[in-house]
Amino acid sequence: MGSWVGKVVHRCITMAIADFYAANPHYTTRIVINTKDTKGEPLLALSAALELLENTKVQAIIGPDATVESRFLDLLEQKANIPFLSFATSTLSNKNPYFLQIAQDEATEFKGIATMVQSFKWKNVVLICENTANGRQMATYMFSAFQEKNIPVAYTSLISTSYSNEQIREELHSLQNMQTTMFVIHTSPSLSSKLFFMAKEVGMMGEGYVWIVTSKTTNHINFMDAETIKSMQGAVGFKSYFPKSDELRKFNSKWRKEYHDLNPIMEMKEIDSNGIWAYDAVYALAMAVEKVQTTVMGTSLLDQISKTNFHGLGGDFKLMNGKPISKAIEIINVIGKGDRRVGFWMVDGEFVKEIGKTNLFSNRGLESIIWPGGTATIPTHRMLQMNGKKLRFLVPVFGAFPSLIQMAVDPTTNRPTVSGFCGDVFNVAYNALTYGVEIEFVPYLYEHGRTYGDLIDKVYLEGYDGAIGDITITSNRSHYVDFTFPFSDMGVGTIAQNGKKSMWIFLSPLSADLWFTSAGFFLFLGFVIWFIEHRTNEEFQGSTKQQIGTTLWFAFSTLVYAHREKLQSNLSRFVVIIWLFVVLVLTSSYTATLSSLLTVQQIASKGGEVQFQSISHVGVPVFNNVQLTKGVMTPLFSPGDYVQALRSRKVSAISDEILYIKSVLALYSAAEFSLVSTASTTNGFGIVFQKGSPLTTKMSSQIAKLRGDGTLKALEDKWLKQQSSMILSKDLSTPPPTILNLNGFGGLFLISGTSMVLALLISIVYILRKTLWKRKLEIMRSLLRRSPEIHPQDNDVEPRV
């Protein structure tokens, strides 16, 4: 009752009772008001309600607008079963039918704010709410409204009403360091006043900022003093709308007199929303009481209030499911000594200039708004220059990779500067933004146990604006900071020491056992063909030397399909056909393997392990998707460590982010080391920014431009140019060329060898049979010559057998 709102509500209730019965003198019923002062305390509200129910025997309660008090009274109403008319504007999950919300629900308002932000294409909204149960719940509802519009909420600031000015100032400084200029504030009028005073003091009410205020504050803007209004200049507010009418005009005239009686030394003000809702609620209650007591039998007061429908000061009064029907919301702009209407938010999701019209006015209809700083230009991007504020960036100095990131002191300005590939990318991209804000580079030196994860934590916890360097983008880190688009190659590479070049490399594709086996089969083929052909084929006859030469020539000429000797035996043709198939497979495999070996030498130490580079900042995030049979994690802090590990032959290869590999290759001979494979298993390097920083999007756009116009490639060539390193494979899991061995061709040799042995056996059997047959004939002829029974003239006749 001691607050200004309480005084307004009480006076409007008494005025409503007097006006109602003056207009309806024939009514036989009268309502009597009994007041209890809650003093703003929920427990006192509960105690007062109990006293009214038990001692005064009230038939209805009009409750306070504080949501916590309303909920205490709601618990009471579950037992009392009498109507409870509440001024609470919060969205309540109340299922008690006796709880009636007579104030406008805020959920519709939140949707309107989200739509307005979407129409301007603003991003990275910060919500400011009271640190109470109701404030936290409202923050959740607001977050959902923005999420439905795909608008990211960068941060939710919960501020207690008990905060001192210094505490509020510190909180605003934290928001200022986030470089966010889009704020939506949903707090009580008293807390809003403190916030705007402090915001103006720290320079957050200047050009480039956007402040949107909910009806929780703007509904009471008529009762704010001139200094508070001045500190809010340029804010846009959503306010409960009451259509113009003769009833409202007459009441306002009457109210000015009442207001003067309450505060004769204060400026005349319009009636606020709570007063209008209280006035209409009393009218509805009086009408329902009359119907219950005189005209309608067997009906309850709750039923009659729910059915009551009339045109009051606030427009049409009608409840649906215990809540008022949705109405338009007024959009105001705080300028000068008060507020100015700029449009309406309709319940169907449209912005309109006038009620009843359907023309959308979207962001084009808001060109008349005067924004903070006195500008009529719609804020579109972050104004970075704020009271000489510097942007502070951490620079990791973890190892000897000067080609990637290094720090020095500019002799002309005596300030730290960054260079190297990562440093130059940041400098070129940031300078293209032409913000003109000073950058302070803070070295993050390597100490035992420090990791890149610790650097991310430092940005997140200690308010640095970002970090620059060889920082890998990972999903886990993205929970705490924002990354730009990657400016490096995405993935990991493997560096290996080149094998020594040899004049005998042509022997490498085949293992020794395969060479000897192949040679043996060539000789065996020649012997088989000679054995089958030399008795009848003149090309395989002659002196011993000539037969050996012809046989060897024929056998080895099959390797290049250059044999010209005609084969007469089908057995010989069968053996050669099978052998030519074996030769075809063997020569094709040899050619493919030799080509691979000539492209890049085999990794020198075939028995070593694959070495992973690690300073604890890679490891798991880098190699999660790398499939390798063996691997060890060992700290390597500089290109020299890479080279020493490879030259010592302790490992056969080292896998790491591609830019680290390129840094090593840029410093050491490409004739000794090669990038032998790559795999797209990481997201590459990115520039780190505080969560919600608008610079993230701006810098990402610049990086995309640098990649498109070739600047990024030029910077890479400047710092990481390689002379003659070749990439063998695009897949890290692809093994190096495999030496061909006998085991892989055993089946072919088995088939060919079987065919040769079979042909040789058939040929031997045929020769033996023919020799035996000839010998038998000779014996028969000898016997016939010695027989006396045979006439001499028959000696030349072959006997019949």
Side-chain angles (χ1 to χ4, degrees):
M1 297 293 291
S3 69
W4 177 246
V5 174
K7 291 179 180 180
V8 170
V9 169
H10 181 255
R11 183 57 63 96
C12 287
I13 289 176
T14 58
M15 290 174 66
I17 293 174
D19 291 346
F20 180 82
Y21 291 114
N24 299 282
H26 60 283
Y27 272 32
T28 61
T29 60
R30 293 290 185 273
I31 61 174
V32 179
I33 182 173
N34 292 272
T35 60
K36 292 292 181 181
D37 190 359
T38 70
K39 300 187 185 299
E41 295 291 337
L43 290 179
L44 287 179
L46 181 59
S47 175
L50 284 172
E51 184 179 349
L52 288 171
L53 287 170
E54 294 177 356
N55 300 331
T56 313
K57 306 296 182 181
V58 296
Q59 299 302 308
I61 293 179
I62 298 181
D65 63 346
T67 306
V68 175
E69 298 177 41
S70 298
R71 289 188 175 180
F72 270 110
L73 295 175
D74 170 47
L75 295 175
L76 178 67
E77 290 304 304
Q78 294 179 15
K79 297 181 179 180
N81 292 334
I82 66 171
F84 172 34
L85 288 74
S86 171
F87 293 106
T89 58
S90 303
T91 301
L92 301 175
S93 57
N94 192 293
K95 297 182 180 179
N96 184 358
Y98 289 91
F99 186 93
L100 303 176
Q101 184 175 339
I102 61 175
Q104 184 75 37
D105 199 318
E106 293 171 337
T108 303
E109 178 183 353
F110 297 157
K111 294 179 181 179
I113 294 174
T115 300
M116 181 181 182
V117 172
Q118 184 187 46
S119 70
F120 285 114
K121 298 180 180 180
W122 289 327
K123 298 292 182 183
N124 302 314
V125 177
V126 169
L127 306 181
I128 302 178
C129 299
E130 287 189 43
N131 192 13
T132 62
N134 173 250
R136 291 187 291 270
Q137 184 189 40
M138 290 303 100
T140 302
Y141 280 110
M142 295 174 72
F143 183 88
S144 299
F146 284 110
Q147 196 172 41
E148 289 177 3
K149 299 293 184 180
N150 295 320
I151 300 171
V153 176
Y155 183 68
T156 300
S157 176
L158 298 174
I159 300 178
S160 173
T161 54
S162 62
Y163 274 13
S164 64
N165 288 347
E166 185 60 33
Q167 288 174 306
I168 294 176
R169 186 182 294 107
E170 289 179 4
E171 180 66 16
L172 291 174
H173 276 307
S174 297
L175 299 180
Q176 191 178 32
N177 288 335
M178 291 180 63
Q179 304 174 30
T180 304
T181 58
M182 175 77 229
F183 301 98
V184 178
I185 180 171
H186 181 73
T187 64
S188 64
S190 58
L191 183 56
S192 295
S193 298
K194 286 185 180 181
L195 281 168
F196 279 111
F197 273 122
M198 293 298 103
K200 184 176 182 180
E201 181 181 310
V202 300
M204 296 177 68
M205 292 300 295
E207 185 176 352
Y209 281 93
V210 174
W211 289 86
I212 297 179
V213 191
T214 67
S215 61
K216 193 175 183 71
T217 294
T218 55
N219 278 349
H220 307 285
I221 197 169
N222 289 338
F223 302 105
M224 292 182 176
D225 57 56
E227 287 300 316
T228 301
I229 297 296
K230 186 177 180 180
S231 68
M232 295 176 62
Q233 294 296 299
V236 175
F238 278 60
K239 183 180 179 182
S240 297
Y241 170 68
F242 303 104
K244 295 179 180 179
S245 64
D246 289 338
E247 293 84 356
L248 182 59
R249 181 180 56 79
K250 292 177 182 178
F251 181 81
N252 275 326
S253 297
K254 189 176 181 180
W255 169 253
R256 288 189 179 94
K257 182 179 183 304
E258 295 285 340
Y259 184 90
H260 180 74
D261 292 341
L262 289 174
N263 291 277
I265 63 174
M266 291 184 66
E267 182 182 353
M268 293 292 182
K269 298 285 185 178
E270 296 286 335
I271 185 68
D272 77 338
S273 58
N274 281 320
I276 293 177
W277 290 329
Y279 190 94
D280 286 349
V282 169
Y283 253 71
L285 183 60
M287 294 171 66
V289 167
E290 178 70 14
K291 290 182 180 180
V292 169
Q293 298 296 327
T294 62
T295 61
V296 181
M297 300 300 294
T299 185
S300 67
L301 181 58
L302 174 67
D303 292 336
Q304 285 305 314
I305 296 176
S306 299
K307 295 176 183 178
T308 299
N309 185 358
F310 66 96
H311 187 81
L313 293 183
D316 292 334
F317 182 94
K318 183 179 181 180
L319 299 180
M320 184 177 295
N321 298 322
K323 296 181 179 182
I325 57 174
S326 297
K327 300 178 182 178
I329 298 174
E330 186 177 356
I331 303 174
I332 63 171
N333 184 202
V334 182
I335 57 173
K337 296 182 179 180
D339 59 271
R340 178 173 59 90
R341 179 185 297 164
V342 295
F344 301 90
W345 161 255
M346 302 299 291
V347 295
D348 57 359
E350 291 185 345
F351 280 118
V352 295
K353 289 183 179 179
E354 297 294 337
I355 296 296
K357 297 184 179 181
T358 59
N359 59 308
L360 292 174
F361 84 115
S362 184
N363 57 344
R364 290 190 300 171
L366 296 176
E367 68 276 357
S368 61
I369 290 179
I370 304 300
W371 302 95
T375 178
T377 303
I378 298 173
T380 57
H381 65 274
R382 168 75 177 161
M383 305 297 291
L384 290 176
Q385 187 65 42
M386 297 177 297
N387 297 334
K389 178 184 181 295
K390 297 179 181 179
L391 296 178
R392 302 173 69 230
F393 285 85
L394 286 174
V395 181
V397 188
F398 272 12
F401 281 91
S403 57
L404 293 180
I405 188 71
Q406 56 180 292
M407 291 190 67
V409 176
D410 188 340
T412 58
T413 62
N414 201 30
R415 294 174 180 170
T417 60
V418 292
S419 60
F421 175 65
C422 301
D424 280 4
V425 169
F426 174 84
N427 291 331
V428 174
Y430 181 74
N431 290 336
L433 298 179
T434 65
Y435 281 150
V437 179
E438 183 181 345
I439 302 291
E440 180 183 353
F441 298 110
V442 181
Y444 189 67
L445 301 176
Y446 176 74
E447 295 178 2
H448 183 68
R450 272 189 174 180
T451 67
Y452 277 65
D454 297 330
L455 180 142
I456 298 297
D457 292 341
K458 198 171 183 67
V459 173
Y460 174 68
L461 297 173
E462 298 187 18
Y464 285 92
D465 295 287
I468 309 162
D470 49 335
I471 306 171
T472 303
I473 303 171
T474 68
S475 59
N476 182 60
R477 294 172 181 173
S478 297
H479 291 310
Y480 306 98
V481 295
D482 284 341
F483 285 94
T484 62
F485 290 162
F487 56 82
S488 69
D489 295 323
M490 291 187 288
V492 298
T494 300
I495 185 175
Q497 190 173 19
N498 297 333
K500 294 182 178 180
K501 294 182 178 180
S502 172
M503 61 183 295
W504 304 103
I505 191 174
F506 69 91
L507 296 175
S508 299
L510 306 185
S511 61
D513 56 354
L514 186 55
W515 276 118
F516 287 117
T517 302
S518 300
F521 265 76
F522 275 110
L523 295 176
F524 186 48
L525 172 72
F527 170 74
V528 172
I529 298 302
W530 171 83
F531 187 84
I532 297 173
E533 295 286 335
H534 85 281
R535 294 179 180 275
T536 58
N537 193 334
E538 293 181 356
E539 294 191 18
F540 290 89
Q541 296 175 357
S543 63
T544 301
K545 290 184 179 181
Q546 187 175 355
Q547 290 185 50
I548 293 174
T550 301
T551 301
L552 293 177
W553 160 255
F554 178 86
F556 285 100
S557 63
T558 59
L559 185 63
V560 291
Y561 312 104
H563 48 284
R564 292 175 293 181
E565 290 76 12
K566 294 182 178 180
L567 302 178
Q568 296 180 354
S569 173
N570 287 332
L571 283 175
S572 300
R573 297 189 183 104
F574 170 72
V575 169
V576 171
I577 287 174
I578 294 178
W579 175 248
L580 289 178
F581 176 73
V582 175
V583 170
L584 174 64
V585 175
L586 188 64
T587 54
S588 300
S589 302
Y590 173 88
T591 303
T593 304
L594 182 60
S595 298
S596 299
L597 289 173
L598 291 175
T599 302
V600 60
Q601 296 288 334
Q602 280 279 41
I603 295 177
S605 253
K606 298 182 177 62
E609 294 178 308
V610 175
Q611 172 83 50
F612 292 147
Q613 186 273 349
S614 173
I615 316 174
S616 300
H617 66 290
V618 283
V620 173
V622 172
F623 298 107
N624 268 344
N625 301 320
V626 182
Q627 301 297 324
L628 292 170
T629 56
K630 294 187 293 184
V632 293
M633 298 292 294
T634 302
L636 301 173
F637 299 100
S638 68
D641 293 342
Y642 285 66
V643 173
Q644 184 178 359
L646 290 171
R647 285 175 177 172
S648 66
R649 303 299 176 88
K650 293 180 180 179
V651 295
S652 57
I654 300 174
S655 295
D656 200 359
E657 289 270 9
I658 292 179
L659 280 193
Y660 289 119
I661 303 299
K662 289 184 176 181
S663 297
V664 176
L665 295 174
L667 296 174
Y668 292 88
S669 172
E672 184 179 1
F673 303 99
S674 293
L675 175 63
V676 296
S677 60
T678 62
S680 299
T681 56
T682 67
N683 296 317
F685 294 160
I687 300 172
V688 175
F689 288 99
Q690 273 280 355
K691 201 71 175 174
S693 171
L695 270 176
T696 306
T697 303
K698 298 294 184 182
M699 290 290 283
S700 293
S701 299
Q702 290 301 321
I703 289 173
K705 291 180 181 179
L706 296 182
R707 191 181 296 278
D709 62 20
T711 303
L712 209 58
K713 181 64 170 60
L715 292 176
E716 183 175 328
D717 289 343
K718 172 185 175 182
W719 293 99
L720 306 171
K721 187 174 182 180
Q722 303 173 65
Q723 300 299 323
S724 60
S725 295
M726 295 178 291
I727 298 177
L728 172 65
S729 170
K730 292 296 181 184
D731 185 0
L732 190 64
S733 61
T734 302
T738 303
I739 298 299
L740 304 177
N741 53 42
L742 180 59
N743 184 55
F745 292 86
L748 288 175
F749 283 117
L750 178 63
I751 294 173
S752 180
T754 302
S755 67
M756 292 180 189
V757 172
L758 182 63
L760 186 61
L761 291 176
I762 294 174
S763 179
I764 291 174
V765 171
Y766 177 78
I767 293 173
L768 289 175
R769 182 180 176 185
K770 187 174 182 180
T771 301
L772 291 174
W773 178 254
K774 186 175 181 180
R775 180 63 178 168
K776 189 173 183 179
L777 289 178
E778 289 177 354
I779 293 174
M780 292 295 293
R781 287 193 183 99
S782 176
L783 292 174
L784 288 174
R785 289 193 199 99
R786 296 175 183 176
S787 176
E789 296 177 359
I790 301 300
H791 297 285
Q793 62 270 21
D794 296 329
N795 288 342
D796 295 329
V797 180
E798 185 172 309
R800 297 172 63 186
V801 179

